[in-house]
Every structure is written in structure tokens, then in C-alpha cells.
Amino acid sequence: MKFAAVFTVGTSTGGAPAAISEVLNQMNQLPEDHTLHVYLLHGEKGNDDKDPKKFAEEIKSQLTDSQIQWQPIRQVPSFDFERTWPLMRKIISEIAEASYDYVYVGITGGTNPMVASLFHAAMTYLDTRVVPVYTQSQKTDWCATFVASEIRDRTKAEEVLKTARSGQLQVASRLAEHLPDNRPEWGFVRKAVSALASWDDFDYGSASNLSQLARKPEACKPTNEMLAPLAETVARLASLVKSMNDFIGAIRDPRRFSSNFADPKFLDEIQNTGVLLVADALANAQRRLTEGRYTDAVLRSYRAAECASQMCLFSIGVHPSRPDPDPPSGGQPSGEGLQEKTSPLSFWAGLKRFEDAKNLSRPEEICNSLKKLSEMRNRSYLEHGYVRINQKQAKRCYADSQKICAYLLGHVGCDSDRFMALQKELEMHF
């Protein structure tokens, strides 16, 4: 492991020699020999005759332990925080590039702007373990150290979860990349949020590692109460991700659809897993509402309704991308006829195809919801128009989509109560 110590120095040696000696004592308790890189940052000379640089040199002369590697002594502004802070940040950034495992930070020597800048920069820009060191400057009695980076890491994790809670899963995933591996719970947060960000992008394949995470102790019974909602979400979605990913694999390729439909279990898969895809599209729309991305919420609401219509088509043996079965051998239609028969079904054409097959008459309420949802989607800026959708419009489209989905899925064996329960099951909590 690599160790460093950073001390600000004022108009006395203060407790720095005793603090550095204590750091060496802690290092010597480890099974291997280690080197301590020491950085001394002295202030400017004030109105008196005391020169902080001389005290920094005195600290260096007092400690001759072979484990110490002294780094160049540097001066930082003593009294002007606006000058002290950027230079301290630059120094700490340079230290960060050395990739130390532990950085001890002296928080007593020098002026208040020096100490405050050092502590804040170390906590903010070092991704390693940061250990503040406090000593009494007069008696040089050893007082205390604590791993302050644990507070920093918890703060980072809280920010990750807060961002995820707002619906911004991709942003949360990028923030989580900065969580360290030094404690299992932070690694769990990083991996879990990354997997849920993939799920939020409908990438169930990349989200499949939820199953592995759910088997870890910190997922089943997290010791950190802050992680309980995330752990519950991981455990709940982990039980669904494989079946959802497998089902998408079964319906993605229309050329395999005939053989899949011939399987007696396929209708059960539509009723149990296919409806999850519809519910998840609506859960995704709900997250976009929370995030304030109202146009995206409408597009996902529309997609949920379309997905529900496709489940209806699957249930009667029709794949919307290739709605007509392959011609029997020897009976190949030619030219223009083949082109017409194999054209994919649009959302509206697919609805009609299913309703005709089932001899259904569409309720007026569903007709109105379909019309309003479709019009808002088509007029939106991300489709064919220039409408900037607001929250009220997005919520109305979401509600219309719920009605449409419940109606359509009722015809494949999923009643409205169960569908609403599935939406709850697919929510994410952080």
C-alpha cells in the first residue's frame, strides 16, 4: 500500500512532528514495510519575524526516519482564501495522481484558510482513504485520527441515490462510478445502479447481473439502512430479469416466431412475462415524469400501448413484423403480392387485425384514449410536430396508456387489477 501525509505549517512546528511519528507507528503495525511520502505546505511570512518556511524545514530536520520520503516543500497563500483554495486544489489534484491508498491530512497547523482549503480539497478530490490528523500544537499530545473518507463516500452514495430517485438513472450510474471498492456496500451501490440504469434503457441483458447482486449478503440484509430500498429493488427485479430477457429473445426474431408459437407454453409466457414488458414501459414512463422529461414520458406511454397490442397479436400467432405465415413449400407467391403480405403491421393496423380476429368492438372510452395518446405523441417535438409537452399533458397521456394497456391485456388473460399490481412490482426505489 502507498501512504502520504500532508501538513500545513504556520509560525511553529506545532504538532506536526508528533503527528507524523504517530502515522509511522500506525504503518509499522502492518505486516509489511511501507514508505510515507510527506508533503509540507507552509504559509507566507506575516508582519512578524517568523518565517513559516523555516519551521517546515525544522520539521523535516527533526524526523530522520528512513521510512519517510520528503516531497518538495511548497508555499501557499496564508490569508486570502480566494488565492489559497485554487492552489491547494491543484496540489491535492497532483497528489491524487500518485494513487495513494491512505492520505493523512494535518488539520491544525497554519492559518484557517490553509487548513480549511486542505481539508475540503482532500475530501473532495481524493478518491482514496482520507485520514485527518489532529494534535495539540503546544503539548504535542496525540489526540485523534478518523477515516473521514467514509463520510465522503457516504455523501457520494447519498448523492447517487438522490439522483436515481429523481429518475435520472444514467446520471446516477455515472456518479456511482466514483464510489470506491474499499467497502462492500459502496461497490454494491455502484453495480446495482449501473444494472438498473441498463434496465431503465430497456437493456435487460446488461441488467442480468442483478441476479448475482441479489445473492450478496448486503443485498439481502444491508447493514446500512440507507441501502434498504435499493437492496429491495434489486432483489425484486432480479427475480424477473432473466425471464424478461429470454422472452424478448423469443419474440425479437420474427423468423423464429412460428416455432415459438407452436410451443404449448408460449401463451403462458405472454400472460406471465409479456405483460411485464408492457408494465415496465409504463414504469419507465413514470420515471420520465418524475424526471420532468415530459415528451419522453409520452413516447414511452405510447410504446407501452403499442407493446400491449403486440402481445395481443402474439397471442393469436401473429408477429407484427411479419404478420403473414411463410407460404407452404411449392406455393411461393410472387413479386408484388409477397411485398404486400409481408409488410409490418402498424400500431393501428395491428389493433384492427387483433380485433377482427376476436370479433371485438372497441369501447368508446378506449377509442378516445387511443386518439388523444396518438395525437399528442405525433405532435410532439421528438416525433412529427413541434409541441413542447407539459406535465399535465404527459400525465394525461400516461393515464390514457394505462387504460389502453389494461383493456388490451385483459384479452390475453391479465385483468386490470393484476396489471396494476405488476406496475407496482416494476417500480424502482432508492
Side-chain angles (χ1 to χ4, degrees), residues 111-351:
T111 63
N112 288 340
M114 294 168 64
V115 172
S117 295
L118 173 59
F119 180 75
H120 183 50
M123 287 288 287
T124 305
Y125 298 105
L126 292 177
D127 287 331
T128 186
R129 291 178 175 88
V130 177
V131 184
V133 181
Y134 175 80
T135 57
Q136 292 178 329
S137 60
Q138 298 300 321
K139 299 180 180 179
T140 64
D141 292 333
W142 179 256
C143 288
T145 64
F146 65 97
V147 184
S149 53
E150 292 182 3
I151 301 172
R152 177 205 63 200
D153 296 338
R154 181 184 175 91
T155 301
K156 284 184 179 180
E158 288 173 346
E159 184 65 21
V160 167
L161 298 177
K162 179 182 177 182
T163 303
R165 212 174 292 126
S166 73
Q168 302 178 79
L169 272 296
Q170 295 297 334
V171 177
S173 179
R174 289 194 293 273
L175 290 174
E177 291 173 2
H178 300 287
L179 287 170
D181 288 318
N182 54 19
R183 289 181 61 173
E185 58 262 45
W186 306 142
F188 171 72
V189 172
R190 188 178 66 252
K191 294 172 185 176
V193 172
S194 176
L196 293 175
S198 294
W199 183 299
D200 190 58
D201 201 31
F202 302 107
D203 185 356
Y204 303 109
S206 296
S208 294
N209 61 341
L210 287 171
S211 301
Q212 296 177 342
L213 286 173
R215 291 193 289 268
K216 294 181 178 295
E218 58 266 32
C220 300
K221 293 181 179 179
T223 55
N224 191 329
E225 186 178 345
M226 178 180 74
L227 304 186
L230 175 63
E232 185 277 331
T233 296
V234 167
R236 176 164 37 82
L237 297 185
S239 65
L240 306 174
V241 65
K242 185 180 185 304
S243 61
M244 292 172 70
N245 191 50
D246 290 347
F247 184 74
I248 284 182
I251 62 177
R252 182 180 289 124
D253 187 354
R255 293 170 298 182
R256 295 170 46 198
F257 181 70
S258 295
S259 59
N260 288 329
F261 182 72
D263 188 335
K265 297 180 181 178
F266 186 69
L267 185 57
D268 289 338
E269 290 182 7
I270 294 174
Q271 294 172 341
N272 293 306
T273 308
V275 295
L276 286 172
L277 301 182
V278 181
D280 192 48
L282 273 174
N284 197 294
Q286 179 64 56
R287 288 193 292 276
R288 301 292 78 79
L289 277 169
T290 302
E291 191 180 358
R293 292 170 57 188
Y294 302 126
T295 299
D296 288 309
V298 170
L299 266 57
R300 283 156 174 74
S301 296
Y302 182 90
R303 173 55 185 154
E306 181 182 46
C307 189
S309 74
Q310 291 172 344
M311 295 305 144
C312 291
L313 290 172
F314 292 148
S315 72
I316 60 172
V318 175
H319 197 292
S321 296
R322 196 175 182 181
D324 293 292
D326 294 329
S329 56
Q332 183 97 345
S334 60
E336 189 174 336
L338 180 62
Q339 178 76 20
E340 181 181 350
K341 285 190 175 183
T342 56
S343 295
L345 290 173
S346 68
F347 179 24
W348 291 94
L351 281 174

Side-chain angles (χ1 to χ4, degrees), residues 366-381:
I366 299 302
C367 290
N368 291 335
S369 290
L370 280 165
K371 181 181 178 181
K372 289 186 290 185
L373 176 61
S374 183
E375 285 181 351
M376 186 56 66
R377 176 256 190 184
N378 291 337
R379 291 165 56 203
S380 73
Y381 211 94

